[in-house]
Amino acid sequence: MTETTHQPQTQEKAEGAIARFLRSTELDPRLIGMVGALLLIWVGFHFYGEIVLGDGSFLTPRNLWNLSVQTASIGIMATGMVLVIITRNIDLSVGSIVGVTGMYMGLMQVEWLPQYLGLGHPAIWIITAIFGLLLGALIGALQGGMIAYLAIPSFIVTLGGLLVWRGVAFLAADGRTISPVDTTFALIGGGPYGSIGSTGSWIVCAIASAGVIWLVLNGRKNRRLHGFPLRPVWAEWFMGILGCAIILIATLVVNSYPWPKGILKDYYGKLGQEVPEGAFIAHGYAIPVLILGVVAILMTILMTRTRFGRYVFAIGGNPEAAALSGINTRAMTVKIFTLMGALAGLAGVIASARLNSATNALGDLDELYVIASAVVGGTSLAGGVGTIYGAIIGALVLVSLQTGMVLIGFGDGSYRKIVIGAALVLAVYLDIIYRKRIK
Amino acid sequence: MSTNRGTPLVELRDISISFGGIKAVDKVTVDLYPGEVVGLLGHNGAGKSTLIKCLSGAYKADAGEILINGEKVDINSPRDARALNIETIYQTLALADNLDAASNLFLGREIVNSFGFVDETKMEAETRKIMARLNPNFRKFNVPVSALSGGQRQSVAIARAVYFNAKILIMDEPTAALGPHETQMVAELIEELKKQGLGIFLIEHDIHNVMKLCDRASVMKNGQLVGTVNVNEVTDDDILGMIIMGKKPAKAA
Ligand SMILES: Nc1ncnc2c1ncn2[C@@H]1O[C@H](COP(=O)(O)OP(=O)(O)OP(=O)(O)O)[C@@H](O)[C@H]1O
Ligand SMILES: [Mg+2]
């Protein structure tokens, strides 16, 4: 296949250093833009705090760790919303699905299962979590079925769902708040005990770095195998080192956020010891953040490496062509909404575990943040375009704005809403300009 | 170019289909033999595309039957048609604009590796091979097909129909967007596929291409079949007469 190797790019000479850098590394300029915006927001909040309040508290391990935990449930749902929006649909019901699954999981682990298994039985958390996922999936399948087979627009079906499931969440326990949840279940929400500590985090760091290196090497091997042009060696090194550096920095940050004194006392107290002088136990990665990481990897594989992912993009690009290619577009719609529902169920697990209780307001307005995350992350409402990593960065941007406003003393809901609403519109506007320019 | 050599490859018998009371195709019967090109002709809106969509699985006929090699078949979806080795180049090309050439070529039939993952590099390599045959100037392998010219998009659609070893090929105005050189290449491709024994339905407005490429021509008007003629027994004026007047020429009747 020698004739297919190098197709010399005629514009090579004319292109600038930045263009050459982008082409060699194959980095998506939009990704760089999003990460740049995120860093700008972080630095902005930090220095505003530093200068105006005399205390820059944004870029601290404590805040960044909290940020990661708060992003988890929105981020998980945003990965599913990407598929929904790519196929030209919308799901307004995810916040209410969080509420209804959270509520029934609360009832299950606090009021139903302990009757049969006994309080604190080790199987309670897993049965409850699986139940929550399945309930979410079932609701998603029901809505997807109506969209696909009854041809009711997804906007209407899920707007109905938004109201219906919130109502069901209230009726499930007559508006009561159910707490506390099972102690093992609560770990899924994060917190000092719901984190994997310093050693665990270093192991995660090592595995993730190995994964990055494997990706780079394997990509190169594959291209060589088929005689495609290879990326320059420096670009491969750059990508490998960049990936590992980000993982390393994240690990350093979560490992330098210590357990607070109260938790230390509680921990050593349970061991029957005094808190040693200068005791330092790091949080490390929180469990919900690891769940988000795993979901992100699996969803990325699903979207970029499987037929299912291809079909999602094809349906978004041209539903008629997808159908003519033998893709069962209706079944795909049901599957996508089922997946979305299951992810909302998973977010329900994390949200109720983190709150250590189930309330009927759980997940309220989440649908807006989730949709905004996907859209800020570059998912096009016109369909056909979107990435998983984009949605997660989008979620990070929105949650950063939210927590940043609180940190600098604008925690009052109204300011937050104004800023986030404006940021959403601005982000989409910038994306439109960008897309026009590359055309 | 004699007709009636044993069992036809395809028989569409008395196919009817209507949209909201309008009969788009009305009791049309056409057939196709191996190694033969049958032209489908008619004015805009005559029902040509609709007829072949019943064969390609895009539509389900309201009435009539489809026989492949003399056996009645049920085609309920494009998947069924593909399973019967029927490949189609649609007039609209049916490409997903946001995907690249290789993804479109293999859409619905992706090459997967032993883990069940889509083998993107293999698909691109195969795409490069077939495009080298069909359109050697084609270079745009790594961009969405929305960035291609009309003719380049058409080559992708043609490549998709040819790649999977069809036995029955449906081409709905395959050269509408092509330049003279590319059109010539498609003409050569049709000749070659014909030699390999494929049967081809060719929808084509250019009467010269019809005279050059087709063995028989079936003319439709307002959803009905005007008639089928052996191309070497009539003149292009005869065929034009059929298309415009909706009448079979006296000598061929
Ligand atoms: N999906 C549809 N819904 C409603 N009417 C349709 C549909 N598809 C085709 N028709 C109608 O059926 C008739 C035949 O259309 P068809 O596309 O088969 O024409 P054609 O012979 O292919 O014309 P052209 O040469 O312009 O491609 C037209 O009157 C058209 O308006
Ligand atoms: Mg047509």
PDB file of all heavy atoms in Angstrom, chain A residues 300-335:
ATOM      1  N   THR A 300     -16.405   7.092  26.217  1.00  0.00           N
ATOM      2  CA  THR A 300     -15.549   7.484  25.099  1.00  0.00           C
ATOM      3  C   THR A 300     -15.293   6.286  24.189  1.00  0.00           C
ATOM      4  O   THR A 300     -15.359   6.392  22.955  1.00  0.00           O
ATOM      5  CB  THR A 300     -14.216   8.050  25.616  1.00  0.00           C
ATOM      6  OG1 THR A 300     -14.497   9.162  26.471  1.00  0.00           O
ATOM      7  CG2 THR A 300     -13.330   8.511  24.470  1.00  0.00           C
ATOM      8  N   ILE A 301     -15.029   5.131  24.795  1.00  0.00           N
ATOM      9  CA  ILE A 301     -14.849   3.917  23.990  1.00  0.00           C
ATOM     10  C   ILE A 301     -16.122   3.628  23.201  1.00  0.00           C
ATOM     11  O   ILE A 301     -16.096   3.354  22.002  1.00  0.00           O
ATOM     12  CB  ILE A 301     -14.486   2.719  24.890  1.00  0.00           C
ATOM     13  CG1 ILE A 301     -13.105   2.935  25.510  1.00  0.00           C
ATOM     14  CG2 ILE A 301     -14.522   1.415  24.109  1.00  0.00           C
ATOM     15  CD1 ILE A 301     -12.725   1.899  26.544  1.00  0.00           C
ATOM     16  N   LEU A 302     -17.257   3.747  23.896  1.00  0.00           N
ATOM     17  CA  LEU A 302     -18.544   3.487  23.240  1.00  0.00           C
ATOM     18  C   LEU A 302     -18.729   4.391  22.021  1.00  0.00           C
ATOM     19  O   LEU A 302     -19.145   3.949  20.951  1.00  0.00           O
ATOM     20  CB  LEU A 302     -19.677   3.715  24.238  1.00  0.00           C
ATOM     21  CG  LEU A 302     -21.101   3.474  23.716  1.00  0.00           C
ATOM     22  CD1 LEU A 302     -21.352   1.984  23.558  1.00  0.00           C
ATOM     23  CD2 LEU A 302     -22.138   4.076  24.640  1.00  0.00           C
ATOM     24  N   MET A 303     -18.383   5.664  22.193  1.00  0.00           N
ATOM     25  CA  MET A 303     -18.659   6.626  21.120  1.00  0.00           C
ATOM     26  C   MET A 303     -17.640   6.576  19.991  1.00  0.00           C
ATOM     27  O   MET A 303     -17.950   6.936  18.864  1.00  0.00           O
ATOM     28  CB  MET A 303     -18.713   8.045  21.695  1.00  0.00           C
ATOM     29  CG  MET A 303     -19.958   8.315  22.502  1.00  0.00           C
ATOM     30  SD  MET A 303     -21.440   8.033  21.542  1.00  0.00           S
ATOM     31  CE  MET A 303     -21.525   9.589  20.652  1.00  0.00           C
ATOM     32  N   THR A 304     -16.394   6.199  20.302  1.00  0.00           N
ATOM     33  CA  THR A 304     -15.372   6.291  19.256  1.00  0.00           C
ATOM     34  C   THR A 304     -14.948   4.938  18.711  1.00  0.00           C
ATOM     35  O   THR A 304     -14.354   4.872  17.636  1.00  0.00           O
ATOM     36  CB  THR A 304     -14.114   7.011  19.782  1.00  0.00           C
ATOM     37  OG1 THR A 304     -13.620   6.293  20.913  1.00  0.00           O
ATOM     38  CG2 THR A 304     -14.426   8.435  20.189  1.00  0.00           C
ATOM     39  N   ARG A 305     -15.226   3.860  19.428  1.00  0.00           N
ATOM     40  CA  ARG A 305     -14.683   2.575  19.009  1.00  0.00           C
ATOM     41  C   ARG A 305     -15.741   1.537  18.649  1.00  0.00           C
ATOM     42  O   ARG A 305     -15.408   0.462  18.167  1.00  0.00           O
ATOM     43  CB  ARG A 305     -13.794   1.992  20.121  1.00  0.00           C
ATOM     44  CG  ARG A 305     -12.528   2.761  20.377  1.00  0.00           C
ATOM     45  CD  ARG A 305     -11.420   2.343  19.426  1.00  0.00           C
ATOM     46  NE  ARG A 305     -10.324   3.297  19.481  1.00  0.00           N
ATOM     47  CZ  ARG A 305     -10.208   4.324  18.646  1.00  0.00           C
ATOM     48  NH1 ARG A 305     -11.102   4.533  17.717  1.00  0.00           N
ATOM     49  NH2 ARG A 305      -9.193   5.156  18.750  1.00  0.00           N
ATOM     50  N   THR A 306     -16.996   1.818  18.925  1.00  0.00           N
ATOM     51  CA  THR A 306     -18.007   0.782  18.684  1.00  0.00           C
ATOM     52  C   THR A 306     -18.967   1.204  17.578  1.00  0.00           C
ATOM     53  O   THR A 306     -19.082   2.373  17.235  1.00  0.00           O
ATOM     54  CB  THR A 306     -18.844   0.503  19.953  1.00  0.00           C
ATOM     55  OG1 THR A 306     -19.647   1.647  20.215  1.00  0.00           O
ATOM     56  CG2 THR A 306     -17.956   0.212  21.152  1.00  0.00           C
ATOM     57  N   ARG A 307     -19.642   0.204  17.047  1.00  0.00           N
ATOM     58  CA  ARG A 307     -20.666   0.476  16.043  1.00  0.00           C
ATOM     59  C   ARG A 307     -21.750   1.373  16.607  1.00  0.00           C
ATOM     60  O   ARG A 307     -22.230   2.278  15.949  1.00  0.00           O
ATOM     61  CB  ARG A 307     -21.305  -0.841  15.598  1.00  0.00           C
ATOM     62  CG  ARG A 307     -20.384  -1.662  14.761  1.00  0.00           C
ATOM     63  CD  ARG A 307     -21.105  -2.891  14.266  1.00  0.00           C
ATOM     64  NE  ARG A 307     -20.377  -3.474  13.177  1.00  0.00           N
ATOM     65  CZ  ARG A 307     -20.643  -4.660  12.665  1.00  0.00           C
ATOM     66  NH1 ARG A 307     -21.619  -5.378  13.159  1.00  0.00           N
ATOM     67  NH2 ARG A 307     -19.938  -5.117  11.671  1.00  0.00           N
ATOM     68  N   PHE A 308     -22.115   1.087  17.852  1.00  0.00           N
ATOM     69  CA  PHE A 308     -23.155   1.878  18.499  1.00  0.00           C
ATOM     70  C   PHE A 308     -22.833   3.372  18.395  1.00  0.00           C
ATOM     71  O   PHE A 308     -23.671   4.178  18.006  1.00  0.00           O
ATOM     72  CB  PHE A 308     -23.270   1.447  19.961  1.00  0.00           C
ATOM     73  CG  PHE A 308     -24.358   2.140  20.728  1.00  0.00           C
ATOM     74  CD1 PHE A 308     -25.638   1.623  20.749  1.00  0.00           C
ATOM     75  CD2 PHE A 308     -24.095   3.312  21.420  1.00  0.00           C
ATOM     76  CE1 PHE A 308     -26.643   2.264  21.458  1.00  0.00           C
ATOM     77  CE2 PHE A 308     -25.098   3.961  22.121  1.00  0.00           C
ATOM     78  CZ  PHE A 308     -26.375   3.429  22.145  1.00  0.00           C
ATOM     79  N   GLY A 309     -21.584   3.715  18.724  1.00  0.00           N
ATOM     80  CA  GLY A 309     -21.172   5.117  18.664  1.00  0.00           C
ATOM     81  C   GLY A 309     -21.264   5.678  17.259  1.00  0.00           C
ATOM     82  O   GLY A 309     -21.751   6.785  17.035  1.00  0.00           O
ATOM     83  N   ARG A 310     -20.818   4.874  16.278  1.00  0.00           N
ATOM     84  CA  ARG A 310     -20.928   5.293  14.883  1.00  0.00           C
ATOM     85  C   ARG A 310     -22.365   5.639  14.540  1.00  0.00           C
ATOM     86  O   ARG A 310     -22.657   6.611  13.865  1.00  0.00           O
ATOM     87  CB  ARG A 310     -20.548   4.126  13.956  1.00  0.00           C
ATOM     88  CG  ARG A 310     -19.132   3.752  13.987  1.00  0.00           C
ATOM     89  CD  ARG A 310     -18.434   4.709  13.128  1.00  0.00           C
ATOM     90  NE  ARG A 310     -17.096   4.839  13.629  1.00  0.00           N
ATOM     91  CZ  ARG A 310     -16.029   4.931  12.858  1.00  0.00           C
ATOM     92  NH1 ARG A 310     -16.180   4.939  11.557  1.00  0.00           N
ATOM     93  NH2 ARG A 310     -14.853   5.042  13.379  1.00  0.00           N
ATOM     94  N   TYR A 311     -23.273   4.757  14.970  1.00  0.00           N
ATOM     95  CA  TYR A 311     -24.669   4.930  14.601  1.00  0.00           C
ATOM     96  C   TYR A 311     -25.245   6.180  15.253  1.00  0.00           C
ATOM     97  O   TYR A 311     -26.072   6.872  14.655  1.00  0.00           O
ATOM     98  CB  TYR A 311     -25.478   3.682  14.974  1.00  0.00           C
ATOM     99  CG  TYR A 311     -24.999   2.430  14.272  1.00  0.00           C
ATOM    100  CD1 TYR A 311     -25.405   1.172  14.666  1.00  0.00           C
ATOM    101  CD2 TYR A 311     -24.108   2.529  13.200  1.00  0.00           C
ATOM    102  CE1 TYR A 311     -24.951   0.035  14.017  1.00  0.00           C
ATOM    103  CE2 TYR A 311     -23.650   1.395  12.558  1.00  0.00           C
ATOM    104  CZ  TYR A 311     -24.064   0.149  12.970  1.00  0.00           C
ATOM    105  OH  TYR A 311     -23.604  -0.965  12.335  1.00  0.00           O
ATOM    106  N   VAL A 312     -24.794   6.451  16.485  1.00  0.00           N
ATOM    107  CA  VAL A 312     -25.249   7.683  17.139  1.00  0.00           C
ATOM    108  C   VAL A 312     -24.882   8.890  16.282  1.00  0.00           C
ATOM    109  O   VAL A 312     -25.719   9.747  15.975  1.00  0.00           O
ATOM    110  CB  VAL A 312     -24.626   7.817  18.545  1.00  0.00           C
ATOM    111  CG1 VAL A 312     -24.886   9.204  19.123  1.00  0.00           C
ATOM    112  CG2 VAL A 312     -25.171   6.739  19.475  1.00  0.00           C
ATOM    113  N   PHE A 313     -23.627   8.940  15.844  1.00  0.00           N
ATOM    114  CA  PHE A 313     -23.188  10.068  15.025  1.00  0.00           C
ATOM    115  C   PHE A 313     -23.925  10.082  13.685  1.00  0.00           C
ATOM    116  O   PHE A 313     -24.327  11.140  13.194  1.00  0.00           O
ATOM    117  CB  PHE A 313     -21.685  10.010  14.781  1.00  0.00           C
ATOM    118  CG  PHE A 313     -20.882  10.502  15.953  1.00  0.00           C
ATOM    119  CD1 PHE A 313     -20.091   9.638  16.679  1.00  0.00           C
ATOM    120  CD2 PHE A 313     -20.928  11.839  16.320  1.00  0.00           C
ATOM    121  CE1 PHE A 313     -19.357  10.096  17.768  1.00  0.00           C
ATOM    122  CE2 PHE A 313     -20.192  12.312  17.398  1.00  0.00           C
ATOM    123  CZ  PHE A 313     -19.407  11.437  18.124  1.00  0.00           C
ATOM    124  N   ALA A 314     -24.089   8.915  13.079  1.00  0.00           N
ATOM    125  CA  ALA A 314     -24.734   8.853  11.769  1.00  0.00           C
ATOM    126  C   ALA A 314     -26.179   9.344  11.853  1.00  0.00           C
ATOM    127  O   ALA A 314     -26.637  10.102  11.000  1.00  0.00           O
ATOM    128  CB  ALA A 314     -24.694   7.431  11.226  1.00  0.00           C
ATOM    129  N   ILE A 315     -26.880   8.923  12.900  1.00  0.00           N
ATOM    130  CA  ILE A 315     -28.269   9.357  13.061  1.00  0.00           C
ATOM    131  C   ILE A 315     -28.318  10.873  13.219  1.00  0.00           C
ATOM    132  O   ILE A 315     -29.183  11.552  12.668  1.00  0.00           O
ATOM    133  CB  ILE A 315     -28.917   8.648  14.274  1.00  0.00           C
ATOM    134  CG1 ILE A 315     -29.093   7.165  13.974  1.00  0.00           C
ATOM    135  CG2 ILE A 315     -30.259   9.293  14.613  1.00  0.00           C
ATOM    136  CD1 ILE A 315     -29.509   6.344  15.180  1.00  0.00           C
ATOM    137  N   GLY A 316     -27.343  11.409  13.968  1.00  0.00           N
ATOM    138  CA  GLY A 316     -27.312  12.859  14.147  1.00  0.00           C
ATOM    139  C   GLY A 316     -26.992  13.588  12.854  1.00  0.00           C
ATOM    140  O   GLY A 316     -27.505  14.667  12.590  1.00  0.00           O
ATOM    141  N   GLY A 317     -26.128  12.991  12.047  1.00  0.00           N
ATOM    142  CA  GLY A 317     -25.708  13.651  10.814  1.00  0.00           C
ATOM    143  C   GLY A 317     -26.781  13.612   9.745  1.00  0.00           C
ATOM    144  O   GLY A 317     -26.989  14.579   9.022  1.00  0.00           O
ATOM    145  N   ASN A 318     -27.456  12.485   9.632  1.00  0.00           N
ATOM    146  CA  ASN A 318     -28.480  12.326   8.608  1.00  0.00           C
ATOM    147  C   ASN A 318     -29.334  11.108   8.962  1.00  0.00           C
ATOM    148  O   ASN A 318     -28.981   9.984   8.617  1.00  0.00           O
ATOM    149  CB  ASN A 318     -27.818  12.142   7.237  1.00  0.00           C
ATOM    150  CG  ASN A 318     -28.834  12.119   6.110  1.00  0.00           C
ATOM    151  OD1 ASN A 318     -30.028  11.962   6.335  1.00  0.00           O
ATOM    152  ND2 ASN A 318     -28.346  12.274   4.893  1.00  0.00           N
ATOM    153  N   PRO A 319     -30.430  11.341   9.670  1.00  0.00           N
ATOM    154  CA  PRO A 319     -31.241  10.212  10.148  1.00  0.00           C
ATOM    155  C   PRO A 319     -31.720   9.329   9.001  1.00  0.00           C
ATOM    156  O   PRO A 319     -31.759   8.102   9.128  1.00  0.00           O
ATOM    157  CB  PRO A 319     -32.432  10.890  10.827  1.00  0.00           C
ATOM    158  CG  PRO A 319     -32.106  12.327  10.952  1.00  0.00           C
ATOM    159  CD  PRO A 319     -30.988  12.649  10.028  1.00  0.00           C
ATOM    160  N   GLU A 320     -32.051   9.961   7.881  1.00  0.00           N
ATOM    161  CA  GLU A 320     -32.562   9.195   6.742  1.00  0.00           C
ATOM    162  C   GLU A 320     -31.464   8.280   6.195  1.00  0.00           C
ATOM    163  O   GLU A 320     -31.694   7.092   5.929  1.00  0.00           O
ATOM    164  CB  GLU A 320     -33.040  10.154   5.660  1.00  0.00           C
ATOM    165  CG  GLU A 320     -33.878   9.484   4.619  1.00  0.00           C
ATOM    166  CD  GLU A 320     -33.924  10.283   3.315  1.00  0.00           C
ATOM    167  OE1 GLU A 320     -33.366  11.407   3.282  1.00  0.00           O
ATOM    168  OE2 GLU A 320     -34.472   9.784   2.341  1.00  0.00           O
ATOM    169  N   ALA A 321     -30.256   8.828   6.046  1.00  0.00           N
ATOM    170  CA  ALA A 321     -29.143   8.021   5.554  1.00  0.00           C
ATOM    171  C   ALA A 321     -28.851   6.876   6.505  1.00  0.00           C
ATOM    172  O   ALA A 321     -28.555   5.757   6.083  1.00  0.00           O
ATOM    173  CB  ALA A 321     -27.903   8.887   5.376  1.00  0.00           C
ATOM    174  N   ALA A 322     -28.942   7.158   7.796  1.00  0.00           N
ATOM    175  CA  ALA A 322     -28.690   6.100   8.778  1.00  0.00           C
ATOM    176  C   ALA A 322     -29.688   4.971   8.602  1.00  0.00           C
ATOM    177  O   ALA A 322     -29.322   3.797   8.585  1.00  0.00           O
ATOM    178  CB  ALA A 322     -28.758   6.681  10.190  1.00  0.00           C
ATOM    179  N   ALA A 323     -30.954   5.338   8.429  1.00  0.00           N
ATOM    180  CA  ALA A 323     -31.983   4.314   8.256  1.00  0.00           C
ATOM    181  C   ALA A 323     -31.749   3.538   6.959  1.00  0.00           C
ATOM    182  O   ALA A 323     -31.876   2.316   6.925  1.00  0.00           O
ATOM    183  CB  ALA A 323     -33.364   4.958   8.250  1.00  0.00           C
ATOM    184  N   LEU A 324     -31.383   4.247   5.883  1.00  0.00           N
ATOM    185  CA  LEU A 324     -31.132   3.573   4.604  1.00  0.00           C
ATOM    186  C   LEU A 324     -29.902   2.674   4.677  1.00  0.00           C
ATOM    187  O   LEU A 324     -29.735   1.778   3.854  1.00  0.00           O
ATOM    188  CB  LEU A 324     -30.969   4.597   3.480  1.00  0.00           C
ATOM    189  CG  LEU A 324     -32.239   5.355   3.089  1.00  0.00           C
ATOM    190  CD1 LEU A 324     -31.933   6.401   2.036  1.00  0.00           C
ATOM    191  CD2 LEU A 324     -33.316   4.398   2.595  1.00  0.00           C
ATOM    192  N   SER A 325     -29.023   2.932   5.644  1.00  0.00           N
ATOM    193  CA  SER A 325     -27.856   2.073   5.808  1.00  0.00           C
ATOM    194  C   SER A 325     -28.177   0.862   6.668  1.00  0.00           C
ATOM    195  O   SER A 325     -27.276   0.133   7.076  1.00  0.00           O
ATOM    196  CB  SER A 325     -26.714   2.850   6.449  1.00  0.00           C
ATOM    197  OG  SER A 325     -26.346   3.918   5.626  1.00  0.00           O
ATOM    198  N   GLY A 326     -29.421   0.686   6.979  1.00  0.00           N
ATOM    199  CA  GLY A 326     -29.818  -0.500   7.722  1.00  0.00           C
ATOM    200  C   GLY A 326     -29.742  -0.342   9.223  1.00  0.00           C
ATOM    201  O   GLY A 326     -29.861  -1.316   9.962  1.00  0.00           O
ATOM    202  N   ILE A 327     -29.542   0.891   9.696  1.00  0.00           N
ATOM    203  CA  ILE A 327     -29.506   1.115  11.141  1.00  0.00           C
ATOM    204  C   ILE A 327     -30.936   1.236  11.644  1.00  0.00           C
ATOM    205  O   ILE A 327     -31.739   1.977  11.078  1.00  0.00           O
ATOM    206  CB  ILE A 327     -28.713   2.398  11.459  1.00  0.00           C
ATOM    207  CG1 ILE A 327     -27.259   2.229  11.027  1.00  0.00           C
ATOM    208  CG2 ILE A 327     -28.806   2.730  12.939  1.00  0.00           C
ATOM    209  CD1 ILE A 327     -26.472   3.520  11.043  1.00  0.00           C
ATOM    210  N   ASN A 328     -31.231   0.498  12.705  1.00  0.00           N
ATOM    211  CA  ASN A 328     -32.563   0.579  13.290  1.00  0.00           C
ATOM    212  C   ASN A 328     -32.607   1.817  14.188  1.00  0.00           C
ATOM    213  O   ASN A 328     -32.267   1.766  15.366  1.00  0.00           O
ATOM    214  CB  ASN A 328     -32.858  -0.693  14.088  1.00  0.00           C
ATOM    215  CG  ASN A 328     -34.288  -0.733  14.564  1.00  0.00           C
ATOM    216  OD1 ASN A 328     -34.965   0.293  14.639  1.00  0.00           O
ATOM    217  ND2 ASN A 328     -34.763  -1.927  14.893  1.00  0.00           N
ATOM    218  N   THR A 329     -33.020   2.931  13.604  1.00  0.00           N
ATOM    219  CA  THR A 329     -32.900   4.201  14.316  1.00  0.00           C
ATOM    220  C   THR A 329     -33.829   4.264  15.532  1.00  0.00           C
ATOM    221  O   THR A 329     -33.509   4.900  16.524  1.00  0.00           O
ATOM    222  CB  THR A 329     -33.202   5.384  13.380  1.00  0.00           C
ATOM    223  OG1 THR A 329     -34.444   5.144  12.737  1.00  0.00           O
ATOM    224  CG2 THR A 329     -32.134   5.530  12.317  1.00  0.00           C
ATOM    225  N   ARG A 330     -34.952   3.589  15.452  1.00  0.00           N
ATOM    226  CA  ARG A 330     -35.869   3.620  16.601  1.00  0.00           C
ATOM    227  C   ARG A 330     -35.274   2.871  17.779  1.00  0.00           C
ATOM    228  O   ARG A 330     -35.279   3.357  18.916  1.00  0.00           O
ATOM    229  CB  ARG A 330     -37.195   2.994  16.224  1.00  0.00           C
ATOM    230  CG  ARG A 330     -37.982   3.875  15.283  1.00  0.00           C
ATOM    231  CD  ARG A 330     -39.210   3.157  14.851  1.00  0.00           C
ATOM    232  NE  ARG A 330     -40.131   4.066  14.197  1.00  0.00           N
ATOM    233  CZ  ARG A 330     -41.313   3.690  13.739  1.00  0.00           C
ATOM    234  NH1 ARG A 330     -41.700   2.440  13.873  1.00  0.00           N
ATOM    235  NH2 ARG A 330     -42.095   4.567  13.150  1.00  0.00           N
ATOM    236  N   ALA A 331     -34.751   1.673  17.496  1.00  0.00           N
ATOM    237  CA  ALA A 331     -34.139   0.904  18.580  1.00  0.00           C
ATOM    238  C   ALA A 331     -32.975   1.687  19.174  1.00  0.00           C
ATOM    239  O   ALA A 331     -32.761   1.682  20.394  1.00  0.00           O
ATOM    240  CB  ALA A 331     -33.662  -0.453  18.064  1.00  0.00           C
ATOM    241  N   MET A 332     -32.236   2.379  18.317  1.00  0.00           N
ATOM    242  CA  MET A 332     -31.122   3.190  18.808  1.00  0.00           C
ATOM    243  C   MET A 332     -31.621   4.272  19.770  1.00  0.00           C
ATOM    244  O   MET A 332     -31.022   4.509  20.817  1.00  0.00           O
ATOM    245  CB  MET A 332     -30.388   3.852  17.631  1.00  0.00           C
ATOM    246  CG  MET A 332     -29.478   2.932  16.849  1.00  0.00           C
ATOM    247  SD  MET A 332     -28.046   2.363  17.775  1.00  0.00           S
ATOM    248  CE  MET A 332     -27.188   3.908  18.079  1.00  0.00           C
ATOM    249  N   THR A 333     -32.728   4.922  19.395  1.00  0.00           N
ATOM    250  CA  THR A 333     -33.269   5.975  20.262  1.00  0.00           C
ATOM    251  C   THR A 333     -33.628   5.414  21.630  1.00  0.00           C
ATOM    252  O   THR A 333     -33.313   6.011  22.663  1.00  0.00           O
ATOM    253  CB  THR A 333     -34.508   6.615  19.601  1.00  0.00           C
ATOM    254  OG1 THR A 333     -34.115   7.150  18.345  1.00  0.00           O
ATOM    255  CG2 THR A 333     -35.088   7.716  20.456  1.00  0.00           C
ATOM    256  N   VAL A 334     -34.274   4.248  21.629  1.00  0.00           N
ATOM    257  CA  VAL A 334     -34.637   3.647  22.910  1.00  0.00           C
ATOM    258  C   VAL A 334     -33.375   3.349  23.721  1.00  0.00           C
ATOM    259  O   VAL A 334     -33.294   3.636  24.921  1.00  0.00           O
ATOM    260  CB  VAL A 334     -35.464   2.359  22.701  1.00  0.00           C
ATOM    261  CG1 VAL A 334     -35.736   1.680  24.034  1.00  0.00           C
ATOM    262  CG2 VAL A 334     -36.762   2.676  21.986  1.00  0.00           C
ATOM    263  N   LYS A 335     -32.361   2.800  23.063  1.00  0.00           N
ATOM    264  CA  LYS A 335     -31.128   2.457  23.784  1.00  0.00           C
ATOM    265  C   LYS A 335     -30.459   3.705  24.359  1.00  0.00           C
ATOM    266  O   LYS A 335     -29.971   3.698  25.485  1.00  0.00           O
ATOM    267  CB  LYS A 335     -30.153   1.744  22.846  1.00  0.00           C
ATOM    268  CG  LYS A 335     -30.547   0.311  22.527  1.00  0.00           C
ATOM    269  CD  LYS A 335     -29.507  -0.327  21.622  1.00  0.00           C
ATOM    270  CE  LYS A 335     -30.056  -1.582  20.965  1.00  0.00           C
ATOM    271  NZ  LYS A 335     -29.219  -2.015  19.835  1.00  0.00           N
TER     272      LYS A 335
END
